[in-house]
Structures are given as structure tokens and as C-alpha cells.
Amino acid sequence: MSVATAAALLPVFCAAPRVDATTPPRPEPLQQAFAQAAQQYHVPLSVLLGVSYLESRWDAHAGRPSVSGGYGPMHLTDARTAIAQSRYRTDGDAAGDTRGDPARSRLSPGTVTLPQDRVLPPSLRTADQAAQLTGLPDDRLRTDPAANIAGGAALLAYYQQALGQPLSAGPSAWFGAVARYSGADDTATAVNFATDVFQTIHDGASRTTDSGQHLTLAAQPNVKPDPKQAAKLGLRTADARNTECPQLVACEWVPAPYARYGPDANDYGNHDVTNRPHDSSVDYIVIHDTEGTWDTTLKLVSDPRYLGWHYTVRSFDGHIAEHMSTKDVGWHSGNWYVNSKSIGVEHEGFLADPDAWYTEAMYRTSARLVRYLAHKYRIPLDRQHILGHDNVPGTEPSTVATMHTDPGPYWDWAHYFELMGVPFQPSPGAGGGLVVIDPDYEANQPFFTDCGGRDLSCAPHGSGAVRLHSAPSETAPLVRDVGLHPNGDSTTGVNDTGARASTGQQFAVADQRGDWTAIWYLGQKAWLHNPHSAPVAIGRRGWVVTPKPGRPSVPVYGRAFPEPSAYPRGVTAQQLVPLQYALPAGQRYVIGDWMRGEYLFSPSFDRSRQTWVRGKVFYYEIQFGHRIAYVRADDVVIHPSTGD
């Protein structure tokens, strides 16, 4: 059935009735718009609400496009318009990674372009289809939430009819249409999307949207969808061989090449073949954003001259590509020690475009993947081990200012951890001595600049970041980061992490004055506005480090490398250079983990010389600023955060 034929069969979205000028306008909340569209296009209301929840969590995003070029609560896609309206740049998130043996720099892709003669796949132009089905103009479908919902309902009805299913059927008969709505080009991803929608219908959902409207999807525990309908969609079967993914996550093998590309043995890419956890433990999972489109990202990871990471997650449907075995070491974080101890997960997105929003489908599949990997490698599900790239420390003073800042302040860490089943919660009792950063994401909208260009203001947007001041006042200067700004102050730039704490991070309390809480941060007191009526931090207890008695300060490191005597003959000892910071006496910093010094020596494509060097010196990982850091156990003492 063609779209034109379906358009003739479906009802046209009618304009709202005229009202008398003396009658106050009747509000038309989103809940009513969903009910009206469901009735008009004969789509079960629960199906319409469930699909929208997976696409946008019912948010309208002020008519701005998602990472995938989707608009409005129903994520109607118009990729060409989205790219024309945006100023996306692919800076190459992993570019400039430092292996440490030796240091390597990599290529950086250019600006994303979309040739005018390129034929876009249907998944990237559903707004065009919705316009034909409803008779509504494209711009209204993008910017008017009610019209957008009607367009989504019309598409669902069209897909239902194309599958030979009746429009009047109950929600259980709509599995195939929902799977088609995902836009996925493979069966597994489409089925997983629809399964999540029907799980949402089964469980119910309730949420206040970004427009301040409270929507509810009543639970329907008796719904029984028919996944066999997806077989009629004629989608491809993705190559899932070699992939390491949990159930209810669709993975595809898109290998990163372990290959030589030049005459020198050092000219190889784009990762190192190892045998973790037999060789060494995996302690971290690093969350990135791609700063590029899906297609661009897959081209880059397939280039041996570029860098390599383990997984990439697509935005609009949560489809996952795995590029290398998790036993291997990817080049992704800019810190060779963290590379050797981590798994890298990239997410299709753009840090400095706050309204290039991620879909719920992407958050859910990524959360399932990370929870699966954490269980497999016994990685604690906390922010000391599930790091953003912006939490990875510089390796030495010269690299601190060049470290990457993704996924940035707009990544919703609180929701991400809720999906993993480990929401941030306070410790029982009061006076634990620590706080966990945990603002209300939607309500917390700090001012940022440098979105789309230097000094340009970012659009107001929910954020998991809170700003830190040098005194308990909004007018006080921001705390300084001598690594980022040796001769100046921290700024409100979206990439400036110098005076920022992020959701889930833990800090020791240094002081309290009214609605302001001070934490120890980069060797100084840092004040955050933490009113009792709307707290941005919750109490916690744990373990902290402080310098040993008699030490005025102790050095802070960006790597936990072994002592020089641990290196065997033929392996050059790595210099352990302190960062430009120090941990002063009297200050306390939260312990995230402890470890022995370790270094992966892998100098060339010839793996015969590959060696894991392990020392006798122990380190503590601490939350030192926005990034983690390491201190030597011999330099500090540990004690409970509640006292000595």
C-alpha cells in the first residue's frame, strides 16, 4: 500500500473548532492531544503513548531536532532539515588518544555534510510520510506537539494497515506496526524496540514533560503482544556473530581493524589484542558521545589509521554495533592507563547541541549493555567506575587541558542509573560527611555558552551538572582549575569542566552555610547552591583519604603506573609525573577504588613483546575534581567520612 493510498483511507487531522472571542481559550494539554489523535486515527491510546515514551519520553524539545533528526513527542524524522538547522561538527571524540607507548595522535574528521542529491532512507524522513497522511505542513509537524502526535498516529495506522491488521484491534495486535515505527532496518532491533514499548504499556508510566505537563499511561498488565508479526516487515538479519550483548539488546558486528597500515611496526591500528580479564582486570566503562553521525562514526572506527572503541549505540532506535572483543584494549579515552583497564562505549550525539536529544530507546539499550558488562567483569555500578570521557584524567600536566569533555552536562546520568536499577540514594541517617550530586535534571538548567560557536549562549536545557563557586554566593567567582586555566578563571563554557560537579559524583563536605554546601574540590573549597527546598546533593557516607600526618600536601596523578623497579629488562619504565594539582593537609577526598600500579607494554603490531607490568605500589582512585585522579597509598591515610 502506498502512502498516497493510505492517506485516502485515513482521516485528516482537523483544525480546532473556532471559539467565541469572549470565551477564554481552553487549554489543550498533551494528554488530550494523544487522546484525540488516538481516536481520530483508530490507534489504541496506550500504543500511541507507549511509542512516544520510547521516542521522547513525551517531551517536545521546543521543536528542535534529536541527534537523528527527529522532531516532537513522536520523533518524526526530517534529517535534511535538522542538519540544515544545526551546526554539528564531528570533532572526533576519540581523536588525540594518548597510548603512552608511544604517544599517538589520530586523524580528526571534518564537518558533517549531507549531499543534496542523497536519497534518505525512510527512517530519516517519516515527517514527509506523516505530512502526506495528514495533510499537515512539514513545519507544523515539526513544531506543533499536537500535530506531531497526530502525524505519529497516522503513521502507526498506516503501518498497521500495510501489515493487513485491523485499526480497531486492541493494543496486542499492534506489535508489527510498533516495530516498523522504530525505523530500524534489522529485525532484532525492531523487535527490541516494540518489546520495550509493550513493556512500558504493561508497567504503565507517569512523568512531567519538558513543557510542565503531567502525562500518565495507565498500566495494562494483561497486554499480550505478538512478536511474530515482525517477521512480515521483511527486515534484514544483522550479523550478530562475535558480539557480546545481553538479551533484549540488538547487536551487530562491525569490526575495528587490527591491522598494519605502514612499513613501521608502530603503524598499526586501531586497538591492541589482549586477553582480559585473564591478563588484567577491567575496572571501568567509559561513556562517550561520537560528535558525529552514525554513518561517519562507523567509517572512522573501520579505519586502522583512526582510533578504536568497543561499542557504538545508535540514537533513534538503540541499535548497537560492537567493534572489538571486550578482552581487547581500545584506544578511546586519551589515557593509556584507563584504556588498558576499560571498555569504551560511544553514543551517537553532539555535546554542544543540548537539544540534539537522545531517545529513550538509546538510553535503555545502552543501560542494559553497561549493566551486562559490569556484571561480566565485576565492575561496580557507580560513578567511580562508570565514567564519562569528561571524567578521565589527563596523563601529565601537558595533557590536562586537552582532555575531551563528552558526553557533557546534558547527559542524563540519573535516568541512566535508574535504568540500570541503581538509582542514586542517600545513606541512612544524617551526618555522613559526604554528598552525592543529584539535581532534578529537568529543573536544573545552568547557563552555558559556546554552543554552535564561541560565546554563543546554549539553549536552556535540563542538566546533570551543578556549578561550583569560590564563596557561598551566586555572584562569587567560579572555583579555579589551574590545569585548565593556569592564568585565568573557570568559565561557563559548555566544554569547561573546571568548576563543575556531575550527577552521581561523590565529594567530602567541607563546610555548610545556609543553603550552600562546600565540598573539597581540586585542593580548595567549592561551594554549590544546595537549598533544603530543592537540594542538588544528597547525604552519603563512605571512605576518604587525607595526607599522612606531617605532610603539608601529597601529589596527585593521572595514571596508576608501577614504580620504576617493577619494569623488566627491555621495557622502558614510564615516568610517573604528578599533575599540577596537590592534595593539601586537612582536605578529604572520596575513595572510588584501590589498585596496584600496572602498565601495558604493547609497542608494536608484533605481540611477542607485549607485557603487563605490575608493581608493588598501591594507589587509591579518588574523586578529585570533575575528573578522577590517583594518589599513592603510602602518601595518605584512610578513614570513615563520618570522622577520624
Side-chain angles (χ1 to χ4, degrees):
M1 181 187 298
S2 69
V3 174
T5 301
L9 297 176
L10 293 173
V12 176
F13 184 73
C14 301
R18 296 183 63 181
V19 297
D20 187 86
T22 61
T23 304
R26 183 168 58 91
E28 187 174 285
L30 284 178
Q31 190 90 42
Q32 182 177 346
F34 276 108
Q36 180 180 354
Q39 181 180 15
Q40 189 164 9
Y41 291 98
H42 309 291
V43 179
L45 177 58
S46 60
V47 170
L48 192 59
L49 284 166
V51 168
S52 179
Y53 191 87
L54 258 290
E55 294 285 16
S56 68
R57 298 179 75 204
W58 304 326
D59 286 340
H61 295 275
R64 298 184 181 95
S66 74
V67 169
S68 308
Y71 290 84
M74 297 303 298
H75 198 255
L76 299 180
T77 52
D78 185 348
R80 196 177 300 280
T81 299
I83 292 178
Q85 292 176 342
S86 302
R87 302 181 67 179
Y88 297 158
R89 290 183 64 249
T90 58
D91 291 329
D93 166 53
D97 183 86
T98 301
R99 297 186 64 237
D101 182 26
R104 294 168 182 252
S105 62
R106 291 296 179 205
L107 306 175
S108 180
T111 304
V112 172
T113 58
L114 184 66
Q116 293 301 309
D117 59 351
R118 175 181 170 186
V119 178
L120 295 174
S123 63
L124 295 181
R125 49 184 174 84
T126 59
D128 292 343
Q129 294 177 297
Q132 294 180 52
L133 292 169
T134 63
L136 292 168
D138 291 350
D139 59 344
R140 187 175 171 193
L141 287 167
R142 291 193 301 266
T143 59
D144 180 355
N148 184 273
I149 292 166
L155 276 175
L156 281 166
Y158 167 56
Y159 297 153
Q160 180 78 343
Q161 289 177 312
L163 290 169
Q165 296 292 328
L167 294 180
S168 59
S172 297
W174 286 73
F175 190 94
V178 171
R180 172 71 181 278
Y181 196 97
S182 71
D185 66 348
D186 72 283
T187 301
T189 303
V191 167
N192 287 346
F193 178 90
T195 300
D196 271 345
V197 168
F198 279 92
Q199 186 65 51
T200 302
I201 295 171
H202 177 279
D203 297 341
S206 181
R207 182 173 183 270
T208 299
T209 70
D210 60 359
S211 62
Q213 299 187 52
H214 189 76
L215 269 66
T216 298
L217 167 57
Q220 297 188 21
N222 295 324
V223 67
K224 295 181 179 179
D226 181 12
K228 294 179 181 178
Q229 292 182 4
K232 298 180 180 179
L233 298 177
L235 303 177
R236 70 184 179 93
T237 300
D239 182 5
R241 293 173 298 176
N242 303 317
T243 59
E244 304 161 85
C245 288
Q247 292 182 346
L248 290 181
V249 167
C251 279
E252 182 171 9
W253 184 247
V254 182
Y258 179 69
R260 291 181 64 168
Y261 59 82
D264 193 297
N266 289 332
D267 294 335
Y268 73 98
N270 53 15
H271 60 282
D272 282 280
V273 175
T274 57
N275 191 24
R276 304 180 306 178
H278 176 75
D279 292 340
S280 178
S281 62
V282 179
D283 299 335
Y284 303 110
I285 299 172
V286 181
I287 304 299
H288 305 256
D289 76 45
T290 60
E291 294 300 314
T293 62
W294 174 261
D295 291 343
T296 297
T297 301
L298 295 197
K299 288 179 182 177
L300 290 173
V301 79
S302 300
D303 184 351
R305 293 173 174 81
Y306 197 64
L307 301 170
W309 50 92
H310 297 84
Y311 298 90
T312 305
V313 188
R314 190 163 61 195
S315 178
F316 73 84
D317 60 0
H319 182 68
I320 295 176
E322 183 172 359
H323 309 300
M324 66 186 72
S325 171
T326 57
K327 70 180 180 62
D328 297 335
V329 171
W331 304 348
H332 61 92
S333 79
N335 183 313
W336 183 239
Y337 174 78
V338 174
N339 280 353
S340 69
K341 308 293 289 183
S342 69
I343 294 169
V345 183
E346 293 273 1
H347 297 79
E348 185 185 14
F350 300 89
L351 181 159
D353 198 329
D355 281 300
W357 38 282
Y358 299 117
T359 65
E360 178 71 0
M362 189 213 68
Y363 271 121
R364 288 194 176 206
T365 57
S366 177
R368 289 193 186 108
L369 174 66
V370 169
R371 184 174 178 86
Y372 163 82
L373 294 171
H375 180 266
K376 179 176 180 177
Y377 288 102
R378 299 181 180 180
I379 302 171
L381 283 171
D382 57 38
R383 290 285 278 114
Q384 287 76 35
H385 299 86
I386 312 301
L387 306 175
H389 197 174
D390 54 350
N391 306 133
V392 176
T395 54
E396 53 189 34
S398 63
T399 67
V400 167
T402 62
M403 294 300 291
H404 285 244
T405 58
D406 59 293
Y410 303 118
W411 180 265
D412 194 345
W413 286 108
H415 183 54
Y416 197 49
F417 272 77
E418 287 171 355
L419 291 172
M420 287 190 282
V422 284
F424 303 120
Q425 296 178 335
S427 297
L434 306 181
V435 290
V436 179
I437 306 301
D438 190 26
D440 181 316
Y441 181 88
E442 296 293 348
N444 181 53
Q445 299 189 1
F447 174 72
F448 287 108
T449 58
D450 302 340
C451 285
R454 186 170 180 81
D455 297 328
L456 293 180
S457 298
C458 302
H461 197 279
S463 173
V466 297
R467 195 149 284 141
L468 304 173
H469 295 264
S470 56
S473 169
E474 293 284 3
T475 60
L478 300 176
V479 294
R480 295 192 62 184
D481 184 333
V482 296
L484 295 180
H485 308 286
N487 302 310
D489 295 327
S490 298
T491 72
T492 58
V494 72
N495 288 294
D496 190 341
T497 61
R500 187 187 303 172
S502 181
T503 296
Q505 293 180 329
Q506 298 185 48
F507 298 92
V509 175
D511 204 347
Q512 184 79 39
R513 295 184 192 174
D515 284 342
W516 288 80
T517 299
I519 58 175
W520 293 119
Y521 184 95
L522 295 177
Q524 62 199 306
K525 277 187 181 182
W527 292 88
L528 58 96
H529 190 225
N530 188 32
H532 296 288
S533 59
V536 300
I538 55 179
R540 184 67 68 86
R541 63 184 60 180
W543 294 89
V544 295
V545 299
T546 193
K548 280 187 172 180
R551 300 285 300 271
S553 67
V554 298
V556 176
Y557 301 93
R559 301 175 283 195
F561 276 170
E563 65 278 10
S565 61
Y567 291 82
R569 179 174 297 180
V571 177
T572 303
Q574 297 297 300
Q575 288 190 337
L576 189 60
V577 180
L579 300 178
Q580 53 268 71
Y581 312 103
L583 195 165
Q587 297 188 12
R588 301 174 299 155
Y589 291 85
V590 178
I591 297 174
D593 207 341
W594 64 276
M595 64 284 294
R596 281 201 305 171
E598 190 170 16
Y599 171 66
L600 170 58
F601 179 69
S602 188
S604 70
F605 188 71
D606 179 6
R607 295 178 56 212
S608 63
R609 298 178 61 199
Q610 188 179 91
T611 303
W612 290 86
V613 181
R614 294 181 178 85
K616 296 181 180 179
V617 171
F618 281 89
Y619 292 83
Y620 292 112
E621 175 211 318
I622 61 171
Q623 188 69 59
F624 189 60
H626 187 74
R627 301 180 188 271
I628 63 168
Y630 303 94
V631 292
R632 299 205 310 178
D634 289 344
D635 291 338
V636 297
V637 292
I638 66 170
H639 56 79
S641 59
T642 52
D644 294 335

